[in-house]
Amino acid sequence: MDISVELTFSPLQDDFEKHIINFIKKLRSSDLVILENPLSTQVFGPYDVVMDVLKTEIKIAFELMDKGLMYMKLVKSDRSEYEPHF
């Protein structure tokens, strides 16, 4: 089963940018399809693979900062090829 995940990572501290950059670079090094925009990062792939990568990388990201939050949306399908029809 393929999934699509939209992530918004928000470290709640002054040096937030380095934490976001590090997190995205770690996701890019996986074998998953990663799409980015200024507001979020999308991850696409098989459910077990995506969740294993996210479980590991979110834990590492949280351990490297004092405070922060992660918004996550999950869709049951690979939406990486989606194009608006309007």
Side-chain angles (χ1 to χ4, degrees), residues 35-83:
L35 299 177
E36 302 157 26
N37 67 55
L39 298 176
S40 66
T41 301
Q42 292 85 38
V43 182
F44 307 91
Y47 178 88
D48 289 330
V49 177
V50 170
M51 296 308 285
D52 286 345
V53 168
L54 292 180
K55 178 183 171 186
T56 299
E57 298 308 331
I58 291 171
K59 181 178 181 180
I60 291 169
F62 277 6
E63 289 173 341
L64 293 173
M65 63 182 179
D66 295 326
K67 297 176 185 167
L69 43 100
M70 179 79 65
Y71 294 101
M72 186 182 326
K73 297 178 191 174
L74 299 162
V75 177
K76 184 187 171 190
S77 67
D78 183 336
R79 305 290 290 165
S80 61
E81 301 295 325
Y82 172 76
E83 292 187 27

